[in-house]
Amino acid sequence: LNGKSDRAGCYKFKFMKEGDFVVTEVAKGESGKHAKVYARFKIGQYDENGTLLDCGWSGPGTLTMEEMEQYTKEIDNGKLKLPFVVEIEYRDRQEESEKLEHPVIQRIRFDKSPEECLFE
């Protein structure tokens, strides 16, 4: 193994976890094509006492530009109200803060309520 990505017959495994999280805040991207759409999502989960735990910020992940434009319009018009639920794939949690490492949004979950997003 030489540390290069072109190693024949070698694979790097990253074990990913999934979970449902509450989006409590949205922000537009800082520059480029995401500057006009909501591309940053503040996420959290509820603990056993009903307290919302901060799990950090996530980017749009697998959401397409068309979906982000549609969700931006729906949030601004009040059709899609905060908080809402998203399914997120992530690598791990930080030990001290419980924030997610490398969170990626897979989809928006319209079939779940925010209260169902429990911290495990």
Side-chain angles (χ1 to χ4, degrees):
L1 298 174
N2 62 5
K4 303 283 185 198
S5 61
D6 59 350
R7 303 181 293 245
C10 294
Y11 298 95
K12 183 176 184 180
F13 291 106
K14 291 184 179 180
F15 297 101
M16 302 300 281
K17 300 174 184 176
E18 286 186 343
D20 294 324
F21 293 82
V22 178
V23 173
T24 58
E25 186 179 337
V26 292
K28 294 190 176 178
E30 295 179 9
S31 63
K33 66 181 182 178
H34 291 149
K36 296 181 181 180
V37 296
Y38 293 125
R40 297 185 60 219
F41 303 88
K42 181 120 175 140
I43 55 176
Q45 285 182 322
Y46 290 100
D47 66 6
E48 64 274 354
N49 300 324
T51 304
L52 186 64
L53 301 173
D54 180 17
C55 295
W57 287 86
S58 175
T62 61
L63 298 178
T64 64
M65 190 63 177
E66 291 79 24
E67 288 174 324
M68 287 190 292
E69 289 172 349
Q70 175 190 351
Y71 296 142
T72 299
K73 288 178 188 174
E74 289 178 2
I75 291 169
D76 288 343
N77 293 337
K79 187 176 178 183
L80 179 60
K81 297 182 185 202
L82 295 172
F84 58 89
V85 179
V86 292
E87 181 179 320
I88 292 196
E89 183 179 82
Y90 60 97
R91 195 172 84 197
D92 209 355
R93 289 184 184 265
Q94 297 174 359
E95 290 181 23
E96 301 84 27
S97 64
E98 297 300 336
K99 292 187 179 182
L100 302 182
E101 294 179 0
H102 309 290
V104 176
I105 292 179
Q106 298 298 309
R107 64 186 173 121
I108 294 182
R109 299 284 309 260
F110 295 107
D111 60 328
K112 290 190 92 173
S113 67
E115 293 80 23
E116 295 179 71
C117 299
L118 301 175
F119 176 75
E120 299 174 1

